[in-house]
Amino acid sequence: MKIREYAIQCIKDESDALLGLIPNIDENFDKAVELIINCKGKIIVTGVGKSGHIGAKIAATLSSTGTPAFYINPLDVFHGDLGVMTKDDVVLAISNSGQTDELLRFIPMVLHMSIPIIGMSGNPASLLAKYSECHLNVSVEKEACPLNLAPTSSTTATLAMGDALAIALMEVRNFRPQDFAQFHPGGELGKRLLTTAQDVMHKDNLPVITPDMHLGEAIILVSKGKLGLGIAEVDGKIVGLITDGDIRRAMEKWKAEFFDKTVSDIMTRTPKIVGPHTKITEIQKIMNKYKVHSVLVVSDDNQLLGVVDHYSCML
């Protein structure tokens, strides 16, 4: 049981550290966002050790949310990697102490190239803060480590500040889900955001019926269609829709009279329709809002192209 208490205390300590960052979101944060927004090149994130690991994640988050960025180890700069930097770039330098020797030896090169530096450290009085155009304070009262030595709360705080920076930039850029999908085309989210109705719709052997067709005949066509619905058309134009549910409710209501009824007696005259280029995410919103299982895909002149059902959207 004691082991769980250690874990709980660690999470509490790191939570307190994160909340302690809120007062540090000041004009320096505004300046950092401004520098990045106006950057015509890329954001070069750098740091040593644990700060480097956090920096790599921050760079990845920035890149995936519309801000071109990559991580570079300051040690590699002394062996040729300085060539990737241009005067159009911005450097985000991370060091908990703000006094890391390897990082400080890198800074004069950056300043010589007139590249602005955004410093991120737990020491506003550090040399890193001094030479930075703006400084993001990520200081914490204590580490979650019981020895107060291992970077725990401090790295969590730094990661959170990086996330805060990325989120603020997304809002300023008006970065939307479609933009996110372009940076994640291979993932599940990318597929869902980029896939359209025409990519997944059923378009062969659609169960087309007529409004004057008797329900007994319509049931056979609905069953053959295997989509749980029938699409009522007149002269090639969609005029209604019936579903398995509509048929069951009609049978319960009319019983023996059911077979005397026609499709027009039970059909929905305003089925939900979408265009072929409608995104799957939008179709899912329609299905959830109106509690429907399927939507019809139609052309600009209301010609039936296909059907997208709930299962089609399960990418």
Side-chain angles (χ1 to χ4, degrees):
M1 193 64 174
K2 199 75 171 177
I3 294 175
R4 296 184 194 175
E5 292 176 7
Y6 297 148
I8 292 170
Q9 187 59 51
C10 173
I11 293 172
K12 286 182 177 179
D13 288 342
E14 295 199 358
S15 298
D16 291 340
L18 292 181
L19 293 175
L21 288 181
I22 294 175
N24 297 343
I25 306 294
D26 55 15
E27 63 276 3
N28 282 281
F29 190 88
D30 297 337
K31 178 66 174 176
V33 171
E34 182 182 348
L35 281 172
I36 295 174
I37 286 293
N38 294 326
C39 176
K40 293 181 173 59
K42 52 202 172 294
I43 309 305
I44 298 174
V45 185
T46 187
V48 179
K50 302 295 190 301
S51 293
H53 295 310
I54 297 298
K57 192 277 178 184
I58 291 174
T61 299
L62 289 171
S63 291
S64 69
T65 53
T67 300
F70 67 89
Y71 168 77
I72 186 171
N73 189 318
L75 298 175
D76 294 333
V77 170
F78 301 104
H79 301 282
D81 282 4
L82 189 63
V84 304
M85 298 174 60
T86 72
K87 292 183 178 180
D88 291 329
D89 299 334
V90 170
V91 166
L92 173 59
I94 304 171
S95 166
N96 185 45
S97 68
Q99 301 287 127
T100 306
D101 180 63
E102 297 91 339
L103 189 63
L104 294 179
R105 285 192 285 126
F106 165 58
I107 286 177
M109 304 178 194
V110 178
L111 296 177
H112 179 71
M113 296 179 67
S114 300
I115 298 175
I117 299 173
I118 301 171
M120 187 183 295
S121 82
N123 184 3
S126 64
L127 287 175
L128 174 60
K130 177 181 178 181
Y131 290 112
S132 297
E133 199 154 322
C134 57
H135 178 258
L136 302 178
N137 185 357
V138 290
S139 60
V140 298
E141 289 189 8
K142 64 174 184 175
E143 299 287 2
C145 165
L147 302 177
N148 197 29
L149 294 175
T152 45
S153 296
S154 58
T155 49
T156 300
T158 303
L159 183 61
M161 184 65 79
D163 285 343
L165 198 58
I167 297 306
L169 288 164
M170 288 178 68
E171 292 295 339
V172 173
R173 295 185 194 280
N174 193 32
F175 196 80
R176 300 273 68 95
Q178 292 80 3
D179 302 313
F180 191 88
Q182 292 179 358
F183 292 96
H184 301 75
E188 179 180 350
L189 179 59
K191 290 180 182 178
R192 292 168 64 83
L193 291 172
L194 295 177
T195 302
T196 62
Q198 66 182 357
D199 296 325
V200 299
M201 66 184 183
H202 300 278
K203 55 186 178 182
D204 298 322
N205 302 315
L206 297 176
V208 175
I209 54 181
T210 60
D212 58 359
M213 182 180 291
H214 282 91
L215 291 178
E217 185 181 356
I219 287 176
I220 297 173
L221 294 178
V222 169
S223 178
K224 286 183 177 180
K226 298 181 180 179
L227 293 176
L229 54 78
I231 306 151
E233 286 189 353
V234 174
D235 296 329
K237 302 294 183 182
I238 299 169
V239 296
L241 177 78
I242 65 172
T243 66
D244 283 339
D246 294 328
I247 294 172
R248 288 194 302 272
R249 285 186 289 273
M251 294 180 76
E252 292 175 1
K253 177 180 178 181
W254 286 312
K255 297 181 174 58
E257 300 175 10
F258 171 81
F259 292 97
D260 295 328
K261 302 296 182 179
T262 63
V263 169
S264 62
D265 292 322
I266 68 170
M267 71 182 185
T268 298
R269 299 178 186 276
T270 55
K272 302 306 173 190
I273 61 174
V274 299
H277 302 296
T278 305
K279 298 289 194 298
I280 289 300
T281 49
E282 293 301 315
I283 293 176
Q284 288 179 312
K285 290 179 183 177
I286 293 172
M287 290 180 178
N288 292 334
K289 180 178 180 180
Y290 295 102
K291 310 298 181 188
V292 296
H293 181 269
S294 304
V295 297
L296 306 182
V297 184
V298 301
S299 61
D300 292 338
D301 58 353
N302 202 37
Q303 294 290 322
L304 179 65
L305 299 177
V307 175
V308 175
D309 59 16
H310 171 74
Y311 299 105
S312 305
C313 299
M314 297 174 66
L315 301 177

